[in-house]
């Protein structure tokens, strides 16, 4: 069910309490090194202020533990950057705690079209614990609640769940980026054009068991690479050398392989590997002949024959979802598998396929390769996109008004 969004909500002279994800990376001096998360919220922010809303923004930053103000985790640099991105708009940072009296005074003094940024939600222990008093106080700061924090959608933190709950009866709507994420990830899984191919990789099979189970029931083919493939290969009895294997997940791996054998989806595992002695730059490398890996070697990327068969499956696909790199792509030469797969997806997209990338590291890989614009959608949420691939709804989104 699509959700009501901020564009279709009357905001004039109303206080819009918007949960954003301004959890931006910073260097040691506190300079923002990547402001994408702020920039991506701008359409929703503009929608609220350009139609005369009074916008109260709230976010977490880093992991302070609810022990009050810490300068290192202040929202000040984010508020400053937002001001730079919105010339002519009044952007003020309020108080030392998101719910303190200074914050209330700043909000009470707002005019239409202005923005107040609350301090880091995680300065207050009420955020992580969802404390009712904290939630009610924040709820009193808004006439309209807007969720524009897809990256946090899978967490029932106070600002995501208890606050909109406390605002029952008032409009509770989705931001534009959140809506786009829900549409892309939701519709792609619900109504795929076929063939539908899922590509899974990354570090741990344990992180992705729920996603594999859900995707096995929906897709035509699942391609598995990355370190997680070695637990599946070990479960099949292959030699895996010193590759990363989760020994306590061998039974899960056996169950997945059996489920794939009995189901509609074809599961393709690597048939060869690029190995190193260790995961470090300059390590000696070797390509295996087949799926087995000799002792003393570690599988760090899919091999050329695997690449070829994965690329062939991707090129035939009309819907592609991808979560998790094919190898230790941060260390050369183990980026080749991820690169080939990403380029094949970009080419398939140009030819008309729908392609969606989820997962923090996969999205970063696509950005690094300069291919982000060649995909239909690159998700901004790692954990949240994975939860969507698992087919599990978000409690936080469930509270928003249907559109
Ligand atoms: P995502 O964030 O896209 O969901 P993950 O967090 O699951 O992806 O996994 C990404 C990490 O997995 C990367 O840091 C990558 O180096 C690592 N990785 C992938 N394949 C291997 C491998 N064969 N051996 C060791 N690490 C790997
Ligand atoms: Mg990751």
């Amino acid at each position: 069910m699509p959700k009501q969004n901020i564009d279709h909500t009357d905001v004039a002279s109303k206080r819009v309490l918007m949960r954003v994800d301004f959890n931006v990376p910073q260097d040691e001096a506190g300079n923002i090194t990547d402001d994408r998360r702020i920039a991506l919220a701008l359409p929703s922010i503009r929608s609220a202020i350009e139609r005369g809303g009074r916008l109260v923004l709230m976010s977490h930053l880093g992991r302070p533990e609810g022990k009050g103000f810490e300068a290192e985790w202040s929202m000040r640099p984010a508020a400053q950057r937002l001001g730079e991105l919105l010339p002519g708009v009044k952007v003020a940072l309020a108080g030392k705690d998101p719910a303190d009296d200074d914050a209330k005074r700043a909000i009470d003094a707002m005019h239409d079209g202005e923005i107040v940024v609350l301090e880091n939600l995680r300065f207050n222990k009420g955020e992580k614990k969802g404390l009712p008093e904290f939630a009610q106080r924040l709820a009193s700061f808004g006439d309209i609640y807007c969720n524009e924090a897809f990256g946090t959608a899978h967490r029932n933190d106070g600002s995501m769940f208890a606050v909109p709950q406390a605002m029952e009866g008032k409009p509770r709507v989705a931001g534009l980026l959140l809506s786009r994420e829900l549409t892309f990830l939701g519709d792609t899984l619900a109504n795929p054009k076929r063939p539908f191919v899922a590509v899974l990789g990354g570090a741990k099979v344990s992180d992705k068991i729920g996603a594999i189970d859900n995707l096995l029931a929906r897709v035509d083919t699942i391609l598995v690479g990355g370190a997680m493939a070695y637990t599946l290969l070990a479960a099949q009895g292959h030699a895996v050398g010193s590759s990363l294997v989760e020994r306590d997940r061998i039974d899960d791996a056996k169950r997945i392989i059996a489920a794939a054998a009995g189901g509609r989806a074809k599961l393709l595992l690597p048939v060869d590997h690029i190995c190193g002695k260790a995961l470090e730059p300059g390590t000696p490398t070797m390509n295996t002949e087949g799926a087995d890996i000799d002792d003393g070697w570690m599988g760090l990327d899919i091999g050329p024959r695997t690449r070829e068969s994965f690329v062939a499956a991707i090129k035939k696909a009309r819907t592609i979802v991808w979560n998790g790199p094919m190898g230790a792509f941060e260390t050369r030469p183990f980026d080749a598998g991820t690169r080939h797969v990403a380029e094949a997806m970009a080419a398939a997209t140009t030819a008309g396929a729908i392609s969606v990338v989820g997962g923090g590291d996969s999205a970063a890989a696509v950005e690094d390769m300069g291919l982000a614009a060649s995909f239909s959608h690159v998700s901004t949420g790692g954990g949240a996109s994975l939860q969507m691939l698992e087919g599990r709804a978000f409690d936080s989104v469930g509270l928003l008004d249907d559109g």
Side-chain angles (χ1 to χ4, degrees):
M1 174 72 89
K3 293 292 170 181
Q4 187 63 256
N5 77 38
I6 187 72
D7 260 353
H8 298 127
T9 306
D10 176 18
V11 295
S13 297
K14 300 212 172 84
R15 297 168 305 157
V16 179
L17 180 65
M18 188 183 287
R19 179 36 158 119
V20 286
D21 178 6
F22 283 0
N23 186 23
V24 287
Q26 288 171 275
D27 65 18
E28 280 178 12
N31 302 305
I32 296 172
T33 53
D34 178 353
D35 67 1
R36 220 169 327 165
R37 287 183 170 148
I38 300 174
L40 286 166
L42 285 177
S44 289
I45 290 172
R46 287 205 179 96
S47 174
I49 56 173
E50 285 174 1
R51 293 179 298 125
R54 305 172 182 194
L55 183 60
V56 181
L57 293 175
M58 54 180 178
S59 177
H60 75 282
L61 175 65
R63 297 182 178 273
E65 287 172 2
K67 294 184 206 129
F69 182 82
E70 293 174 68
E72 179 188 358
W73 299 115
S74 170
M75 296 306 298
R76 183 167 297 282
Q80 246 157 21
R81 178 61 56 90
L82 180 63
E84 288 158 19
L85 293 169
L86 294 170
V89 176
K90 188 171 168 203
V91 180
L93 179 73
K96 291 269 188 261
D97 177 280
D100 67 12
D101 289 338
D102 284 339
K104 177 166 168 35
R105 270 192 288 275
I107 293 165
D108 288 345
M110 285 176 92
H111 298 106
D112 296 354
E114 291 181 358
I115 300 177
V116 164
V117 180
L118 301 181
E119 258 305 351
N120 193 336
L121 290 163
R122 290 191 184 168
F123 287 166
N124 191 306
K125 64 179 188 304
E127 171 66 354
K128 272 315 224 182
K129 296 191 171 158
L131 299 179
E133 226 169 274
F134 175 71
Q136 264 145 26
R137 171 73 161 185
L138 289 179
S140 77
F141 290 170
D143 306 306
I144 295 166
Y145 175 83
C146 177
N147 181 334
E148 184 58 313
F150 179 72
T152 315
H154 57 306
R155 297 205 179 100
N156 285 349
D157 292 353
S159 60
M160 298 298 294
F161 193 75
V163 172
Q165 214 175 26
M167 289 175 75
E168 196 177 352
K170 296 177 177 171
R172 297 178 292 184
V173 304
L176 303 173
L177 178 62
L178 177 75
S179 297
R180 186 181 153 81
E181 294 274 10
L182 296 174
T183 303
F184 259 104
L185 284 153
D187 287 359
T188 304
L189 290 179
N191 305 304
K193 292 188 286 175
R194 296 188 180 275
F196 181 10
V197 174
V199 183
L200 292 177
K204 291 182 174 171
V205 75
S206 55
D207 287 343
K208 306 209 171 160
I209 286 170
I212 301 177
D213 282 337
N214 184 45
L215 290 168
L216 272 176
R218 295 173 186 272
V219 305
D220 300 295
T221 308
I222 297 196
L223 313 175
V224 177
M228 65 185 266
Y230 299 110
T231 303
L232 294 163
L233 289 169
Q236 286 184 328
H238 286 288
V240 293
S242 49
S243 308
L244 293 180
V245 170
E246 290 176 274
R247 289 281 158 204
D248 58 337
R249 295 297 178 157
I250 296 283
D251 285 344
D252 285 309
K254 285 186 174 158
R255 186 184 54 73
I256 287 167
I257 292 162
R264 65 175 290 174
K266 207 157 68 174
L267 173 69
L268 294 188
L269 297 178
V271 294
D272 61 347
H273 316 277
I274 302 178
C275 300
K277 283 275 172 201
L279 178 42
E280 58 193 31
T283 187
T285 66
M286 63 99 65
N287 289 14
T288 64
E289 292 286 325
D292 292 290
I293 297 175
D294 290 341
D295 283 351
W297 292 94
M298 192 178 186
L300 291 171
D301 195 9
I302 55 174
R305 287 198 296 123
T306 306
R307 236 187 269 159
E308 218 171 283
S309 83
F310 283 14
V311 164
I314 291 164
K315 288 210 162 142
K316 277 188 249 148
R318 296 185 66 209
T319 305
I320 303 157
V321 296
W322 180 24
N323 176 293
M326 296 291 98
F329 74 98
E330 301 94 334
T331 311
R332 251 167 236 177
F334 308 112
D335 58 332
T338 302
R339 181 177 299 277
H340 275 79
V341 159
E343 283 169 355
M345 289 182 200
T349 312
T350 307
I354 299 285
S355 58
V356 178
V357 189
D361 292 289
S362 328
V366 165
E367 297 281 351
D368 287 352
M369 292 184 270
L371 289 174
S374 309
F375 283 74
S376 309
H377 181 64
V378 180
S379 178
T380 56
S385 66
L386 191 57
Q387 181 165 331
M388 289 197 77
L389 296 186
E390 291 166 359
R392 293 195 295 129
F394 301 117
D395 298 334
S396 60
V397 172
L399 287 176
L400 306 179
D401 302 338
D402 292 325

